[in-house]
Amino acid sequence: MTAREYRAKLEQARKGQADAERRAASLRRKEATARAAAAQQRSSAARTDRAGIRDSRLRTAARREKEANKAARDASSWETRGARLGRRAAVLDVLHAEAEAEEREAVETVLRRERREAMLRIASEQARLDARLTLTEGYMNDVLRHLRAPKPEPLRILMLGAAAGGDLRIPREQARIRAAVERALHRDLVELDAHPAATADHLLDGLTRFKPHVVHFSGHSAQDLVVFEKDVDHFHSGAVVTAGAFARAIAAVDDQPLLVLLNSCDSAPQAARLVDTVPLAIGMSASIGDIDAITYAARFYAAVADGQSIRSAHAQGRVAIEMAGLLDHDLPTLFHADDVDPSAAMLVVPPTTAPPPPPAPTDDVSEPMASP
């Protein structure tokens, strides 16, 4: 019998017990009333000298005593029934508790099996991703890493957001960044490619097709991993990518990004290692609040699009958190390669200050004609 069936029988037994106890109590009150009336009639009969009245009152007393006796028998019967139902309810209570415990154990067994299967799937997907990244890395040649001089082209920012469990405001952050850039001084020199539900494939495809100068990641992370989404339509635990695999993906392109910004918790150790691959990296030194991270990112990219240096944009992002009355202004941490000066690194260079293009080659070596 299931716990639900035991619960129904238990409720029925308790209801019957309560009803029996109410009936027994009512009959006991009726018995007491009848016995009191009988005693009163006998007392009244003893005080009268008239034989007719005395006999009438004694008959009434006998009738009331008979009613009291019947009420007492009925009350005893209902009390016995109530006691029996009480014992049945006690047994059913024990059986119900045992059935519930067995059902909970069965549910926990199913959950443990599902968690184990989920971990096996995650491990399999991670192994597949690592194999793909390793294969891509095999085609790379060792080259001298250096900070590319800004070209007269728009700054390309690849925005990757992943909140597989639906607990982060990724679309809000990307909207704030887009709005900040659109209000900036050099908004026409910035291109954004946003993916609010980014998978690992979005990273790999974005690196080769969009060729970003900046890779921005928002989501969950730790010192040694980042969590992307899976290509599914329901909430899930995410696709774990190791920090090493993420760094190798960044390195496995011909034109590597200039900056990687990990706007996610406990990502500073990863950012510190990323400067072996890219010139500049930013990470969070502890767990950062959602609003703090959004505030920092919006102000950082606004400053970049205004033509500020990376050092200045980073400082303005931290100040924006502090001025908003938030607590995590000291968590965003900037790292750079030894041969890179963040105060001189500007990712947006307006055309008026960009170096002039070299003259076009020509085969005409004749002397120019004098003006008339």
Side-chain angles (χ1 to χ4, degrees), residues 189-239:
L189 300 180
V190 179
E191 290 182 4
L192 301 174
D193 185 17
H195 300 274
T199 64
D201 284 335
H202 283 119
L203 169 64
L204 296 172
D205 292 338
L207 287 170
T208 56
R209 298 173 186 174
F210 187 59
K211 298 181 179 179
H213 303 95
V214 178
V215 173
H216 177 99
F217 175 81
S218 304
H220 292 293
S221 67
Q223 296 184 9
D224 55 355
L225 59 88
V226 292
V227 183
F228 285 85
E229 293 205 15
K230 302 175 184 178
D231 191 16
V232 295
D233 295 330
H234 54 79
F235 292 121
H236 55 280
S237 57

Side-chain angles (χ1 to χ4, degrees), residues 137-144 251 254 256:
E137 184 183 10
Y139 293 106
M140 291 295 300
N141 295 320
D142 293 333
V143 296
L144 178 63
D254 294 330
Q256 292 149 14

Side-chain angles (χ1 to χ4, degrees), residues 45-246:
R47 292 195 300 269
T48 184
D49 295 333
R50 298 176 65 179
I53 295 175
R54 182 173 58 251
D55 292 343
S56 175
R57 290 177 179 175
L58 289 174
R59 286 194 300 273
T60 301
R63 188 170 61 254
R64 299 296 286 173
E65 190 69 32
K66 184 178 180 180
E67 293 175 359
N69 291 336
K70 183 178 185 307
R73 289 193 300 272
D74 291 344
S76 179
S77 175
W78 281 108
E79 287 170 350
T80 301
R81 177 180 175 84
R84 185 174 65 253
L85 289 172
R87 291 191 296 271
R88 176 175 172 78
V91 173
L92 288 171
D93 195 18
V94 172
L95 294 175
H96 173 251
E98 292 176 350
E100 279 193 333
E102 292 176 357
E103 291 178 2
R104 282 196 300 270
E105 178 62 26
V107 170
E108 290 174 359
T109 300
V110 172
L111 291 176
R112 285 195 295 269
R113 184 178 68 251
E114 290 179 348
R115 284 195 294 267
R116 184 167 60 252
E117 293 174 351
M119 292 302 296
L120 290 174
R121 287 195 299 271
I122 291 173
S124 176
E125 292 175 2
Q126 181 173 331
R128 180 182 63 81
L129 180 61
D130 286 346
R132 178 180 175 182
L133 294 175
T134 302
L135 180 63
T136 304
E137 184 183 10
Y139 293 106
M140 291 295 300
N141 295 320
D142 293 333
V143 296
L144 178 63
R145 182 186 54 78
H146 63 283
L147 181 61
R148 304 195 304 271
K151 299 178 181 179
E153 61 179 353
L155 175 71
R156 294 184 293 275
I157 302 173
L158 177 64
M159 294 195 297
L160 305 172
D167 54 341
L168 298 177
R169 303 190 65 194
I170 300 299
R172 174 62 177 169
E173 177 178 345
Q174 293 185 354
R176 284 283 307 279
I177 293 172
R178 188 177 297 278
V181 169
E182 289 175 351
R183 292 192 301 268
L185 185 62
H186 306 304
R187 54 186 174 273
D188 295 333
L189 300 180
V190 179
E191 290 182 4
L192 301 174
D193 185 17
H195 300 274
T199 64
D201 284 335
H202 283 119
L203 169 64
L204 296 172
D205 292 338
L207 287 170
T208 56
R209 298 173 186 174
F210 187 59
K211 298 181 179 179
H213 303 95
V214 178
V215 173
H216 177 99
F217 175 81
S218 304
H220 292 293
S221 67
Q223 296 184 9
D224 55 355
L225 59 88
V226 292
V227 183
F228 285 85
E229 293 205 15
K230 302 175 184 178
D231 191 16
V232 295
D233 295 330
H234 54 79
F235 292 121
H236 55 280
S237 57
V240 175
V241 174
T242 64
F246 181 85

